[in-house]
Amino acid sequence: MTTTKRITLAQRPSGMPDADTWASEEVDLPSPSDGEFLVKVDHVSLDPAMRGWLNDVRSYLPPVQIGEVMRAAVTGTVVESHHPDFAVGDAVTGTLGVTEYAISDGTGVQKIDTSVAGPATWLGALGMPGLTAYHGLHEVGEMKSGDTVLISAAAGAVGSVAGQLAKAKGCTVIGIAGGAEKCAWLKEIGFDEVIDYKNENVLKKLREVAPKGIDVYFDNVGGDILDAALANLRRGARVIICGAVSTYNDETLAPGPKRYMSLLVFRAKMQGFLVFDYPDKDAAAIAEMSDLISSGKLVARETVVEGGVEKFGDTLLGLFEGRNTGKLVLKIA
């Protein structure tokens, strides 16, 4: 038997999660049965969507239940196997939860090539965030060369990849981020213009840097920044609704966009999507992004916090406090 420490949901938070939201427990796992394998987890993904999974409401995934292991994508190594497709030593990724060890039957688990990129990158640019950026731009945003593309939360895991993908496609790319350090980094990786929402008027600055309007807006934050983007659309614009991190911890329902009539005026469209919507396109997307990483056209950056699974709760708060640049990952081994 293998002893594992794991993080479970102790109670549903009201507003920002705190120490009372989580419980840490140690349990013994049996040896894997036929068709199963044991994974030693080394990195845990921290994602804004986690906050939504804590709410007991109908959504695209069932909420995490009280007492359940917290849902999370991870990377790890197979250390024992009775599965024909997974051998001891294989590096893998999958949604196995915030735990030191996990047993899987292979459902939703993929092998990864750590010679192409390290485990943290397989949770970032080559994982769910990178695929989110890729599918959002191509499938929903219908991005084409010459477009002016605006991206909010541009220094985050999804936004930083989206901006670089748009630049590689031949677009003019404008990012919105918070603070001089993040804005400077975005310029370093190829963004044409960057707006510091903490120190600049986003609506005014956007009209200065995109006087003819924007063709694609990749929205990760919602709120006032979404309204600023809607006020500066070009005819036929596409607004990609990926997330609304500015409202995830609100205790009351956030107001909707005030400028939605811009969609009518500019014959634009606004569409939401999930990364899970395009599974048949994942392999090609990962191959293309791997080539961009190898050629230096895509910089994969991770903020890696080291510690045990007990650091999960505090590390998650970092997402909503802006501590990370690029992908936020907890390294537990």
Side-chain angles (χ1 to χ4, degrees):
M1 300 183 75
T2 301
T3 300
T4 185
K5 183 181 292 185
R6 60 194 191 184
I7 300 300
T8 62
L9 180 62
Q11 64 181 40
R12 300 197 185 282
S14 177
M16 196 79 77
D18 58 23
D20 294 331
T21 304
W22 315 106
S24 176
E25 63 180 26
E26 285 194 9
V27 298
D28 291 328
L29 298 178
S31 294
S33 302
D34 287 344
E36 295 181 333
F37 53 93
L38 179 67
V39 176
K40 185 181 191 308
V41 175
D42 47 51
H43 292 77
V44 176
S45 177
L46 284 298
D47 299 285
M50 287 174 159
R51 180 60 188 85
W53 300 340
L54 304 181
N55 296 330
D56 191 14
V57 297
R58 186 170 66 93
S59 188
Y60 60 90
L61 286 175
V64 177
Q65 297 300 313
I66 302 297
E68 284 187 349
V69 177
M70 179 57 193
R71 181 185 296 138
V74 306
T75 58
T77 304
V78 177
V79 293
E80 183 179 351
S81 181
H82 301 292
H83 193 293
D85 298 329
F86 294 89
V88 172
D90 282 346
V92 297
T93 186
T95 305
L96 301 178
V98 185
T99 183
E100 295 173 334
Y101 289 87
I103 292 175
S104 174
D105 63 3
T107 302
V109 175
Q110 295 85 38
K111 297 179 188 178
I112 58 175
D113 185 350
T114 53
S115 69
V116 172
T121 301
W122 283 99
L123 293 175
L126 295 179
M128 188 183 299
L131 290 171
T132 300
Y134 189 97
H135 296 326
L137 288 171
H138 289 87
E139 305 303 327
V140 182
E142 300 172 353
M143 175 182 65
K144 59 185 183 297
S145 180
D147 280 345
T148 296
V149 178
L150 175 68
I151 300 164
S152 58
V158 174
S160 60
V161 174
Q164 293 177 86
L165 291 176
K167 194 63 186 174
K169 187 73 172 180
C171 299
T172 298
V173 182
I174 304 166
I176 302 173
E181 183 178 346
K182 290 182 178 181
C183 291
W185 177 65
L186 291 175
K187 295 287 282 189
E188 288 176 13
I189 63 174
F191 280 64
D192 295 287
E193 299 284 350
V194 184
I195 301 171
D196 183 352
Y197 75 85
K198 291 185 176 181
N199 297 294
E200 297 179 285
N201 182 303
V202 174
L203 178 59
K204 180 180 178 181
K205 187 68 176 182
L206 183 56
R207 285 175 170 160
E208 291 177 8
V209 299
K212 295 181 179 180
I214 56 174
D215 299 291
V216 178
Y217 173 47
F218 200 116
D219 185 32
N220 291 303
V221 300
D224 292 339
I225 289 177
L226 171 58
D227 272 322
L230 290 174
N232 207 50
L233 300 180
R234 185 179 288 177
R235 182 163 177 166
R238 290 82 69 196
V239 178
I240 306 162
I241 301 298
C242 177
V245 70
S246 69
T247 67
Y248 285 166
N249 291 294
D250 289 355
E251 297 184 54
T252 58
L253 190 64
K258 302 179 182 68
R259 298 179 182 267
Y260 73 94
M261 285 299 289
S262 292
L263 300 172
L264 182 155
V265 172
F266 296 106
R267 288 74 149 183
K269 72 173 184 179
M270 183 162 66
Q271 179 181 337
F273 81 105
L274 293 172
V275 68
F276 316 115
D277 293 342
Y278 311 98
D280 57 327
K281 299 179 183 295
D282 284 352
I286 290 173
E288 182 176 336
M289 290 188 289
S290 296
D291 288 343
L292 289 172
I293 289 173
S294 297
S295 67
K297 293 181 179 179
L298 175 57
V299 176
R301 179 167 175 175
E302 299 89 30
T303 297
V304 179
V305 177
E306 297 192 19
V309 293
E310 62 274 6
K311 291 197 70 171
F312 168 77
D314 180 69
T315 307
L316 179 63
L317 293 181
L319 280 175
F320 306 108
E321 296 170 356
R323 296 184 215 161
N324 62 299
T325 301
K327 174 64 185 163
L328 181 59
V329 177
L330 176 60
K331 181 180 180 181
I332 67 169

